[in-house]
Amino acid sequence: IITPSKSAYKGEVKSITLPGTVGNFQVLFNHAPVLSSLEIGRIKIEELDEKVVEFSTGGGTVEIRNNKILVLVDSVESSSEIDVERAKNSYQRAKERLSLKSQKQTDIARAEASLHRAINRMKLAGHSF
């Protein structure tokens, strides 16, 4: 799993579940080749020793070929990296922007994406609003 600023995960895995554009999908050994876009959501990795590692992502792409998976994402955070207060603040700012839909300076798509990312982070961190 790679972002523009860091390599977030590298290793052999039993399975990975990704937030595809039309829904979550799981990749196992000998999966057919795939090139897909990813949405805001959760990446769940089951390692060979049965340990589960989860990440919150802001979307990106995945390439699956010859039992190799390359995940290129805009952003990614493990549950331990999530700043809960920052996510709560992002949620509140996005809700405020969306309440001002009628104002021309409000970028609705950006505010909705920010809201969705904040909710995703909070869920992964095990918190609610």
Side-chain angles (χ1 to χ4, degrees), residues 5-55:
S5 62
K6 67 181 180 179
S7 175
Y9 186 90
K10 183 176 182 174
E12 292 187 28
V13 303
K14 186 174 184 180
S15 72
I16 183 170
T17 303
L18 300 156
T21 304
V22 293
N24 291 342
F25 64 98
Q26 185 179 42
V27 179
L28 300 167
F29 186 71
N30 283 335
H31 196 285
V34 172
L35 182 59
S36 178
S37 59
L38 301 175
E39 296 295 319
I40 295 167
R42 182 180 302 201
I43 297 173
K44 180 180 174 184
I45 297 171
E46 185 177 348
E47 297 180 327
L48 296 176
D49 64 0
E50 309 292 324
K51 180 181 171 193
V52 174
V53 181
E54 293 183 305
F55 296 92

Side-chain angles (χ1 to χ4, degrees), residues 109-126:
R110 185 175 172 198
E112 287 173 343
S114 181
L115 180 68
H116 192 59
R117 285 190 304 270
I119 291 169
N120 186 53
R121 286 184 180 111
M122 293 298 292
K123 283 182 182 177
L124 186 61

